[in-house]
Amino acid sequence: MKFIHTADWHLGKLVHGLYMTEDQRFMLAQFMELVEKEKPDAVIIAGDLYDRSIPPTDAVNLLDEVLYFINVELNTPILAISGNHDSAERLSFGSSWYQKNRFYLNGKIENSFIPISFSGVNFYLVPYCEPVVVRKLLADDTILNHHDAMKAIIGKIESNLNVNEPNVFIGHSFVLGGKTTDSERILSVGGSGCVGAELFAPFSYTALGHLHSPDAIHHPTVKYSGSLMKYSFSEANQKKSVSIIEIDEKGNFTQNYQTLMPKRDMRELEGHLEELLDVSYYQQQKVDDYLKITLLDEGAILDPIQKLRQVYPNVLHLERKIENKDRKEKSILQVQKEVQKNELELFASFYEEMTTADFTQEKQEWMTSVINQVLREEGAK
């Protein structure tokens, strides 16, 4: 069978104060044309259809139009899950009757253990879920992080997995070692939001969402489709695409990338103000792209962003290279100063940052005794 893998549409996204709905509509028009042309057996959307739990009306209407065209007008099955940006409850509204037209939308982890099967392939739809919810559902107190939760979910799936047929996992996770960008919301701190790629070994193909680049990881069977379009300047050098997968009865598959072209690209420019405003330079540019501009000029410049916007109307971010250099040097100096502090001074700095209370003499004396005790114990080892 053939299916298209996409994810991270983030409809209703706000970038530097600008709603991206018009640009998303332009990209999704190409996506609908691709589905019509390729005639896949299914379309997979691996989470983050919306950018927030309560999306703006325009985003809701756009999603409705796209899903209706694909599922009803083209009669193409859709397999979708909620991501960490979506409201699983709101997104799942009507899902019980959607299935009558082979539109399978899962936002509930308890519905993840029975596959959706057609064209000889079993699809497991596993929405984003916090570990505490999985711990409660499976009554397993050993589940402490996302890796534990995913391991338990897949373990339960494996108990009824048909190993003689291709099995496809649809999920929304941060696989350990994946490359992140600024537009991805962190799942948890300290690495506890990561899951190991080895967990997905039982599946012929794992269709993931969350990381925004199709090159976020390099794995033979675990794949990210990447986001619909660029949502931060950290993604400026990425090529956005969707994946077209053809899988046989043994689970072997081929993968082809189909690039989608934005109405306005997200790019970075660097140069002196005079150069950037020179006709011979900007005539070679697509001036209506979304731009981050770094100026190389030294000294004061009067209202540079307004001058630039007369030529480049969609300058979203402007910075000075010399200011970045100064900021970096100040940061390095601050780190050096911190290194020179003793244990009590470091704790005092931490205490003042984390609380509004004074670090009194009594507290200093108590902390000094604790530090001295620790140092004595370390010295005795």
Side-chain angles (χ1 to χ4, degrees):
M1 74 171 298
K2 176 166 69 173
F3 60 83
I4 294 177
H5 171 200
T6 181
D8 296 285
W9 290 3
H10 289 279
L11 300 184
K13 181 73 172 179
L14 194 66
V15 178
H16 290 271
L18 183 69
Y19 278 108
M20 306 301 289
T21 309
E22 178 189 344
D23 299 83
Q24 291 168 329
R25 182 181 296 277
F26 184 85
M27 297 288 275
L28 285 170
Q30 296 175 61
F31 181 73
M32 290 187 287
E33 290 175 5
L34 176 66
V35 175
E36 188 171 19
K37 174 186 173 184
E38 291 290 334
K39 296 180 173 56
D41 298 293
V43 168
I44 289 174
I45 312 173
D48 282 355
L49 286 82
Y50 292 126
D51 188 60
R52 64 190 72 178
S53 58
I54 305 178
T57 302
D58 287 347
V60 176
N61 291 337
L62 177 56
L63 182 64
D64 179 66
E65 292 169 21
V66 173
L67 297 182
Y68 182 87
F69 178 81
I70 294 171
N71 185 238
V72 178
E73 295 189 17
L74 298 182
N75 197 29
T76 302
I78 296 175
L79 303 157
I81 60 170
S82 57
N84 61 301
H85 281 252
D86 298 310
S87 166
E89 293 77 13
R90 289 187 177 88
L91 200 60
S92 296
F93 172 79
S95 57
S96 56
W97 81 69
Y98 295 161
Q99 295 182 21
K100 298 296 182 181
N101 204 56
R102 297 188 300 169
F103 175 18
Y104 305 97
L105 176 57
N106 187 23
K108 298 179 179 179
I109 195 66
E110 55 266 34
N111 296 335
S112 303
F113 307 109
I114 298 175
I116 305 299
S117 302
F118 58 89
S119 299
V121 179
N122 304 313
F123 295 90
Y124 288 88
L125 281 63
V126 181
Y128 172 81
C129 192
E130 291 292 338
V132 65
V133 176
V134 182
R135 180 166 68 242
K136 183 178 179 180
L137 176 67
L138 301 182
D140 185 349
D141 292 336
T142 67
I143 296 174
L144 302 176
N145 52 46
H146 283 268
H147 181 88
D148 296 339
M150 187 62 72
K151 184 177 181 180
I153 290 168
I154 293 176
K156 186 172 175 63
I157 289 174
E158 274 195 281
S159 63
N160 293 306
L161 195 71
N162 185 344
V163 297
N164 297 315
E165 294 179 348
N167 295 289
V168 173
F169 184 98
I170 304 172
H172 194 88
S173 297
F174 180 7
V175 171
L176 188 64
K179 292 181 287 187
T180 63
T181 65
D182 293 342
S183 59
E184 295 148 0
R185 183 184 298 167
I186 188 170
L187 299 183
S188 59
V189 298
S192 61
C194 299
V195 303
E198 72 279 0
L199 296 181
F200 304 104
F203 302 96
S204 306
Y205 182 90
T206 296
L208 291 180
H210 183 59
L211 298 185
H212 286 189
S213 170
D215 298 318
I217 58 170
H218 297 282
H219 190 278
T221 60
V222 180
K223 307 291 184 180
Y224 285 98
S225 68
S227 57
L228 177 68
M229 54 186 290
K230 299 174 184 179
Y231 291 124
S232 74
F233 289 106
S234 63
E235 300 176 23
N237 294 323
Q238 293 181 4
K239 290 185 177 180
K240 298 301 183 180
S241 63
V242 297
S243 300
I244 303 173
I245 309 297
E246 294 193 50
I247 190 167
D248 66 20
E249 66 278 1
K250 295 182 179 179
N252 301 312
F253 67 87
T254 59
Q255 180 180 25
N256 293 305
Y257 297 102
Q258 180 65 46
T259 301
L260 302 178
M261 300 304 296
K263 185 175 184 178
R264 303 176 187 88
D265 200 2
M266 186 168 282
R267 299 189 293 117
E268 296 181 276
L269 289 180
E270 182 177 283
H272 292 86
L273 182 62
E274 185 178 355
E275 172 195 1
L276 296 173
L277 297 179
D278 189 278
V279 176
S280 63
Y281 178 83
Y282 67 71
Q283 282 184 338
Q284 307 302 315
Q285 300 289 324
K286 190 172 183 297
V287 294
D288 66 338
D289 281 346
Y290 296 120
L291 298 175
K292 172 186 174 181
I293 294 181
T294 302
L295 292 179
L296 303 179
D297 303 77
E298 298 183 15
I301 305 176
L302 182 62
D303 203 9
I305 195 164
Q306 292 305 321
K307 293 177 180 177
L308 287 164
R309 282 180 173 163
Q310 290 178 16
V311 176
Y312 310 97
N314 294 312
V315 177
L316 300 184
H317 183 78
L318 177 66
E319 59 185 38
R320 304 282 298 275
K321 192 160 189 177
I322 190 168
E323 290 174 357
N324 287 340
K325 183 180 179 182
D326 291 344
R327 196 179 302 118
K328 186 176 180 180
E329 289 176 352
K330 287 179 182 178
S331 177
I332 292 171
L333 182 60
Q334 182 64 31
V335 170
Q336 289 172 343
K337 288 180 178 179
E338 293 292 336
V339 169
Q340 293 171 3
K341 290 182 179 180
N342 61 35
E343 289 84 354
L344 181 62
E345 290 170 331
L346 287 169
F347 181 82
S349 298
F350 170 77
Y351 186 87
E352 290 168 0
E353 287 184 12
M354 300 303 294
T355 74
T356 57
D358 293 331
F359 192 52
T360 64
Q361 182 65 34
E362 182 182 358
K363 293 174 182 177
Q364 291 181 42
E365 292 173 356
W366 182 85
M367 195 63 208
T368 299
S369 66
V370 172
I371 292 170
N372 288 336
Q373 181 180 347
V374 172
L375 292 175
R376 284 195 298 272
E377 290 174 355
E378 286 184 348
K381 291 180 181 180

